[in-house]
Amino acid sequence: MRLSSFLFPKCWNLRVVGRSDAEDDQRQKLVVRDAALRAARERPMNLRAIRRAARRVDKTARVRMVLYPPEAPRMTVQITLGQGRGRNWLGMLFPEAFGVPETGPVRFRWWFAELLKGWGWL
């Protein structure tokens, strides 16, 4: 995997881990998932908006960026409810949700990436 595609993926995963495997907790997990997906569509690549949406539904929601799954790491927004001991839901935040067109080249610029390009690392 090239460093540039790792730093600037065209899409992110969304993982929501339930509080437990109890039926009510699994239902709550899906409500949080739906709220997070709506927030991602309205405010692309805005982790704060996703966090606010998840916490409006469940005050125990913890939102962070992780690399998941370990065998094929991708940038993943992980929402953990409570102690996170339940089954999880894993899906993709689609490229169009982040304002990335499905066709044509996309160029993101970031000073650190430009520096690495200058050194020949990208």
Side-chain angles (χ1 to χ4, degrees), residues 27-101:
R27 233 185 333 267
Q28 179 78 349
K29 172 188 73 178
L30 298 177
V31 173
V32 170
R33 174 205 61 188
D34 293 343
L37 288 172
R38 276 192 304 277
R41 283 187 202 99
E42 292 169 10
R43 310 242 1 222
M45 296 183 79
N46 189 325
L47 194 59
R48 184 176 292 157
I50 294 171
R51 181 177 292 118
R52 274 195 306 263
R55 286 189 178 158
R56 264 182 272 175
V57 175
D58 189 318
K59 299 290 185 210
T60 68
R62 294 185 319 275
V63 180
R64 62 190 180 124
M65 291 296 297
V66 298
L67 293 173
Y68 186 85
E71 59 276 357
R74 298 190 76 152
M75 294 299 288
T76 301
V77 176
Q78 179 170 301
I79 303 173
T80 307
L81 305 177
Q83 294 297 314
R85 294 188 176 142
R87 291 186 307 266
N88 73 83
W89 181 91
L90 179 65
M92 182 181 289
L93 293 172
F94 299 105
E96 63 271 13
F98 293 103
V100 178

Side-chain angles (χ1 to χ4, degrees), residues 2-9 12 75 110 112-113 116 122:
R2 291 188 57 178
L3 183 59
S4 59
S5 63
F6 178 75
L7 290 174
F8 308 111
W12 291 347
M75 294 299 288
W110 181 36
F112 186 67
L116 291 176
L122 293 180

